[in-house]
């Protein structure tokens, strides 16, 4: 019996949810290649070779990474969240220990604050030129827009101070300012009462009175530090947003920071797996390379499949952000998935390296040690899954 050939109905572009943007957009693919090449170490033949953070920062500046995040009306390019997520992923894959997320987030907050970008023109010029790096000490805002705990702003008779300890965070490039997400108590001098702590977003230039950056031991993941605030004065001009304006800003940037952090973790995971693949190709056992043995091949294949799944999810979430359809619950789930995958995959990568994977200068050891604290910056994965359960 002869039947007619089935009619093929072309899929609508909006339905193609799982197509990587670089495969459908030649310009995006070229931009990724440009960023990747700019972050490549000079000695690419050495697996552990990486750019020092200062050079990586300068390369990102030369590529124009900060202009990617700035709107057009302040001489930026405003290329969207998919491009910013790509920059974060490539920086993670290059193991660049630079204050990337803090600078990108500050660019958005400075241009979106009620005072406008005109108040901070000199600061924006410093960011654009690469002279000023902005770091977020400790925890990042939650995907659901909650301000992280740890730092407290106290107001006494109209004078603000900040107390607490926050960290770790990357300081491969010395930050010129700290972007602070705070909870503010009631003004104790006025006798006013409040139902609860009010969120506050501030940008504090360094050096500052009462602020100490303490370097932590670098175990291979890159230079990092904690920030200690001992009743550090916070002048009113340094407060970008507070109260309801801060809540609105946190709800807006929370999902964006979550996607960017997930992209950074994905890049670190990719760096560890690249080192693993190189290892099993070179290491010989029973007269042949490890890659010829079924057990390590299957194990690495499983790790690569998990990494690909997260990469697809990050790219999809970034496009959803640009389309305005990513919910806080979806952002929390993405960050939890990326954190759990990064922790599991980098730990297995250390095991696949054997004893050499524990060496401080081993790529997989450095990736695992950095992932150990980067994976918690948006909150513990268990807490993020709880956010998914109670958030639309």
């Amino acid at each position: 019996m002869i039947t007619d050939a089935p009619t093929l109905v072309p899929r609508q572009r909006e339905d193609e949810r799982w197509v990587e943007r670089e495969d459908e957009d030649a310009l995006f693919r070229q931009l990724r290649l440009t960023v990747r090449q700019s972050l490549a170490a000079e000695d690419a033949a050495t697996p552990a070779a990486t750019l020092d953070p200062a050079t990586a920062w300068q390369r990102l500046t030369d590529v124009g990474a900060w202009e990617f995040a700035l709107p057009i009306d302040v001489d930026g390019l405003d290329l969207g969240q998919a491009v910013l997520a790509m920059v974060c992923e490539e920086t993670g894959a290059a193991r660049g220990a630079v204050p990337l997320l803090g600078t990108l987030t500050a660019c958005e907050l400075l241009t979106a604050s009620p005072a406008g970008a005109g108040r901070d023109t000199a600061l924006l010029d410093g960011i654009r030129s690469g002279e000023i790096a902005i770091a977020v000490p400790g925890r990042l805002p939650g995907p659901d827009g909650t301000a992280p705990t740890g730092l407290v702003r106290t107001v006494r008779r109209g004078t603000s101070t900040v107390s607490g300890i926050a960290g770790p965070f990357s300081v491969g490039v010395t930050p010129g300012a700290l972007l602070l997400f705070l909870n503010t108590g009631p003004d104790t001098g006025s006798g006013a009462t409040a139902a609860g702590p009010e969120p506050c977003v501030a940008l504090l230039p360094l050096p500052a009175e009462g602020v100490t950056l303490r370097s932590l031991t670098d175990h291979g993941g890159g230079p990092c530090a904690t920030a200690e605030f001992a009743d550090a004065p916070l002048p009113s001009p340094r407060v970008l947003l507070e109260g309801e304006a801060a809540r609105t800003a946190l709800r807006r940037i929370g999902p964006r920071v979550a996607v960017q952090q997930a992209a950074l973790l994905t890049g670190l995971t990719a760096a560890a797996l690249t080192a693993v693949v190189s290892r099993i190709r070179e290491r010989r056992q029973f007269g042949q390379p490890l890659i010829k043995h079924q057990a390590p091949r299957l194990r690495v294949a499983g790790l690569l499949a998990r990494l690909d799944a997260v990469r697809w999810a990050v790219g999809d979430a970034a496009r959803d952000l640009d389309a305005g359809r990513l919910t806080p619950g979806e952002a929390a789930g993405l960050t939890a998935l990326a954190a759990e995958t990064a922790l599991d995959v980098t730990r297995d990568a250390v095991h696949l390296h054997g004893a050499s994977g524990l060496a401080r200068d081993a790529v997989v050891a450095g990736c695992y040690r950095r992932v150990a604290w980067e994976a918690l910056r948006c909150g513990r994965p268990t807490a993020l899954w709880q956010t998914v359960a109670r958030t639309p």
Side-chain angles (χ1 to χ4, degrees):
M1 182 176 64
I2 300 177
T3 59
D4 294 334
T7 302
L8 298 178
V9 179
R11 294 179 61 190
Q12 297 296 322
R13 193 172 187 82
E14 184 67 21
D15 295 334
E16 296 179 358
R17 303 269 295 172
W18 295 100
V19 177
E20 282 190 302
R21 185 168 177 175
E22 58 265 39
D23 288 342
E24 63 180 358
D25 189 337
L27 181 60
F28 186 91
R29 184 170 60 251
Q30 183 59 46
L31 186 58
R32 178 187 285 276
L33 182 61
T34 301
V35 174
R36 181 176 298 173
Q37 291 176 341
S38 69
L39 293 173
E42 285 79 1
D43 186 12
T46 304
T50 183
L51 288 177
D52 66 275
T55 304
W57 184 262
Q58 186 58 50
R59 298 277 182 87
L60 286 170
T61 302
D62 293 341
V63 169
W66 322 126
E67 296 175 354
F68 295 169
L70 291 172
I72 296 176
D73 57 1
V74 291
D75 299 326
L77 297 176
D78 197 12
L79 295 185
Q81 297 301 313
V83 171
L84 297 183
M86 176 271 292
V87 172
C88 292
E89 181 184 344
E90 294 300 328
T91 303
R95 294 178 288 133
V98 296
L100 178 63
L101 267 66
T103 304
L104 294 177
T105 305
C107 288
E108 179 175 349
L109 288 173
L110 286 171
T111 54
S113 63
R119 185 188 68 173
D120 297 291
T121 301
L123 182 58
L124 285 174
D125 290 341
I127 294 173
R128 189 183 288 108
S129 65
E131 297 175 0
I132 300 177
I134 298 177
V136 178
R139 287 274 302 276
L140 297 165
D144 56 350
T146 54
T149 58
L151 297 179
V152 178
R153 177 192 179 202
T154 303
V155 182
R156 296 186 181 91
R157 297 181 176 85
T159 302
S160 298
T161 58
V162 180
S163 301
I165 301 176
F169 59 99
S170 294
V171 289
V173 178
T174 303
L178 296 178
L179 182 60
L180 306 179
F181 298 96
L182 309 160
N183 288 291
T184 306
D187 191 334
T188 57
S190 65
T193 59
E198 291 288 311
C200 170
V201 181
L203 190 64
L204 187 63
L206 295 177
E209 179 186 351
V211 181
T212 304
L213 298 186
R214 298 196 182 278
S215 298
L216 302 176
T217 303
D218 180 6
H219 292 290
C224 57
T226 60
E228 299 181 6
F229 297 82
D231 291 329
L234 183 63
S236 297
R238 301 277 47 109
V239 177
L240 299 180
L241 301 160
E242 56 184 328
E244 190 57 36
R247 286 194 188 90
T248 302
L250 287 169
R251 285 194 294 266
R252 185 183 73 253
I253 68 170
R256 302 185 182 192
V257 172
V259 171
Q260 292 170 11
Q261 181 67 2
L264 180 68
L265 289 169
T266 302
L268 288 168
T269 307
L273 279 182
T274 300
V276 167
V277 172
S278 177
R279 170 74 174 180
I280 66 173
R281 282 177 174 169
E282 298 172 357
R283 183 74 172 176
R284 300 182 68 85
Q285 192 174 62
F286 302 117
Q288 58 182 346
L290 277 177
I291 199 171
K292 297 294 185 180
H293 295 277
Q294 188 178 44
R297 287 180 65 181
L298 291 177
R299 192 170 180 185
V300 171
L303 298 179
L304 289 170
R306 292 188 65 180
L307 172 62
D308 280 345
V310 176
R311 288 193 69 245
W312 288 113
V314 170
D316 187 50
R319 290 191 294 274
D320 283 350
L321 269 176
D322 287 330
R325 60 178 179 238
L326 186 72
T327 67
E330 291 172 339
L334 173 70
T335 310
L337 175 65
E340 290 179 344
T341 302
L343 288 168
D344 292 345
V345 172
T346 52
R347 181 176 57 246
D348 284 357
V350 172
H351 292 167
L352 284 164
H353 264 64
S356 64
L358 302 175
R360 178 184 174 186
D361 58 350
V363 174
V364 292
C367 290
Y368 177 70
R369 286 165 177 152
R370 183 172 174 189
V371 164
W373 55 266
E374 286 280 9
L376 305 179
R377 293 199 72 193
C378 285
R380 293 182 177 276
T382 52
L384 291 172
W385 288 124
Q386 291 173 1
T387 300
V388 175
R390 66 173 183 264
T391 307

